[in-house]
Amino acid sequence: MSWLIAAGLGVLIGVALGALGGGGSILTVPVLVYLLGQSPQEATSASLVIVGVTSIISAVHHTRSGNVRWRLGAAFAAAGIAASFAGTALNASVDGAVILIAFAAVMVISSASMLWRTRTHRSAGRNADQSDSSEVVDPAKKTGSPSSSLRARALKVIVAGLVVGFLTGFLGVGGGFVIVPALVAALGFAMPTAVGTSLLIIALNSSVSLVARAGSNHFDWGIIIPFTLAAILGSFMGKAVADRLPARLLTRIFALLLLVVAAYVVIEAI
């Protein structure tokens, strides 16, 4: 029975990953804990496998549309390697309730980030339509220092990489809610490219965190395998959904779902 539950919920999480480039992974741990009876530590380890495998396969699928920047994704993930090991060490040393409360806080932040994106994405697109060339309209870009602008963007990517690496190690989440806005704001990526590149970064971060946990965690493959296969199927469905429905609508619905789950996690944890 548990593998049927895992498969059904895996499809839902895969759809979110494929459509939004993140967010879906944050539901994996609550599902494993509250519906499939795993401890928080076991659930975060299983989440790394499920989310990592699903993300890399979905990223390859996005590559066909030219929406993955492989070099940038690798550099972003590399920035968070040390933080990922630190997060993994902290995960093993704290009480499960602390992990779950931290999860609820991350869900709220993720939801806020998604709702913010739905408000700013429209205005960004409107501003782009009003200008044929930002380099011509904004003289500061001509007179300003390109090297200082490059350093500022690089710093944003490094900081985001550290945050995402720590979250992946500590909570077993992909961090797409941090990655996608960082790629859009710091590097000016279009949303489809940010989503595709985010999936690559999530897969790489998950792999690093799994290496850090090797030999010290129990993996229930009877749950992980059907969950992962269903999530992969869901990720392909998510890409199709994203191509047909407004991204703003999908993001808002999922953001509200995260708030509901966060409230449930807090109630159960305390």
Side-chain angles (χ1 to χ4, degrees):
M1 190 65 185
S2 60
W3 71 267
L4 284 175
I5 297 174
L9 294 168
V11 171
L12 172 63
I13 289 168
V15 168
L17 273 170
L20 303 175
S25 62
I26 207 170
L27 289 178
T28 306
V29 170
V31 164
L32 291 171
V33 171
Y34 295 115
L35 297 182
L36 296 173
Q38 293 195 346
S39 71
Q41 279 81 5
E42 286 177 329
T44 52
S45 296
S47 175
L48 291 171
V49 178
I50 295 164
V51 173
V53 173
T54 305
S55 295
I56 192 59
I57 292 177
S58 187
V60 171
H61 189 54
H62 278 262
T63 300
R64 297 175 183 175
S65 303
N67 291 329
V68 179
R69 300 293 180 264
W70 293 88
R71 290 183 180 178
L72 184 282
F76 194 112
I81 289 177
S84 179
F85 277 89
T88 299
L90 183 61
N91 174 278
S93 63
V94 301
D95 185 74
V98 173
I99 295 175
L100 293 174
I101 292 173
F103 233 102
V106 170
M107 282 183 177
V108 173
I109 295 171
S110 176
S111 177
S113 172
M114 289 179 174
L115 293 174
W116 172 81
R117 254 193 287 157
T118 64
R119 293 176 62 86
T120 58
H121 185 54
R122 172 181 288 181
S123 62
R126 186 164 55 242
N127 291 339
D129 291 339
Q130 292 172 352
S131 172
D132 292 330
S133 172
S134 59
E135 284 78 13
V136 174
V137 173
D138 186 2
K141 289 190 176 181
K142 283 189 170 184
T143 59
S145 169
S147 60
S148 62
S149 175
L150 181 62
R151 285 195 298 269
R153 286 186 294 173
L155 180 60
K156 290 178 181 178
V157 170
I158 291 171
V159 171
L162 289 171
V163 171
V164 171
F166 179 80
L167 290 176
T168 303
F170 182 46
L171 299 177
V173 300
F177 68 96
V178 174
I179 300 169
V180 173
L183 294 178
V184 172
L187 299 178
F189 279 15
M191 188 59 69
T193 303
V195 168
T197 306
S198 170
L199 290 166
L200 171 64
I201 296 168
I202 290 170
L204 294 174
N205 279 332
S206 297
S207 299
V208 171
S209 294
L210 277 172
V211 169
R213 294 177 186 229
S216 61
N217 281 265
H218 171 260
F219 294 90
D220 188 345
W221 296 108
I223 290 177
I224 293 174
I225 291 174
F227 204 128
T228 304
L229 292 175
I232 291 169
L233 174 62
S235 71
F236 294 138
M237 295 168 59
K239 179 67 166 58
V241 169
D243 291 339
R244 288 170 174 78
L245 294 179
R248 295 177 75 249
L249 175 62
L250 289 172
T251 303
R252 287 184 173 182
I253 291 173
F254 193 76
L256 294 176
L257 174 61
L258 286 183
L259 289 177
V260 172
V261 176
Y264 178 82
V265 170
V266 170
I267 292 171
E268 288 293 315
I270 62 177

